[in-house]
Amino acid sequence: MLIHHLATNCLYFCYIFSGIIPFGAIIAYLHDLADIPANIGKVLSSTTFEIAAVIDGIILMIVWAYTRCYLLPKSIHYLFTVPELKDPD
């Protein structure tokens, strides 16, 4: 986890100081969406609502797979291939 958090801080530092805040914000947003059901699952696992915790775990896996395995690569591909977003050389 330490390497993950160091990489995240490097990402934030680089996209802020290089002036590409919209690109970094999209990546950070897509990574943070799965944190919502993850934290809800942590709360539910401490209670007696076992079925709700299982349902939340399933929702977490769907959200994580959709955002990190589908939307994130699609967004990165879009950001680097759309001509309007490239440098006007």
Side-chain angles (χ1 to χ4, degrees):
M1 280 311 279
L2 177 64
I3 294 172
H4 170 75
H5 288 113
L6 288 173
T8 302
N9 285 326
C10 287
L11 169 73
Y12 290 160
F13 179 81
C14 290
Y15 81 73
I16 289 171
F17 286 106
S18 64
I20 53 172
I21 293 174
F23 299 163
I26 289 171
I27 293 170
Y29 176 72
L30 289 176
H31 273 83
D32 289 343
L33 278 177
D35 288 345
I36 297 168
N39 289 322
I40 292 172
K42 288 178 186 178
V43 171
L44 289 174
S45 68
S46 300
T47 65
T48 58
F49 302 117
E50 294 175 6
I51 296 173
V54 170
I55 292 170
D56 183 70
I58 293 168
I59 292 170
L60 170 64
M61 290 298 114
I62 292 169
V63 169
W64 187 89
Y66 182 68
T67 57
R68 300 240 179 134
C69 297
Y70 178 71
L71 284 181
L72 184 63
K74 187 176 178 180
S75 299
I76 291 171
H77 180 263
Y78 177 78
L79 291 173
F80 286 106
T81 58
V82 173
E84 295 87 28
L85 299 175
K86 291 184 179 180
D87 241 355
D89 286 334

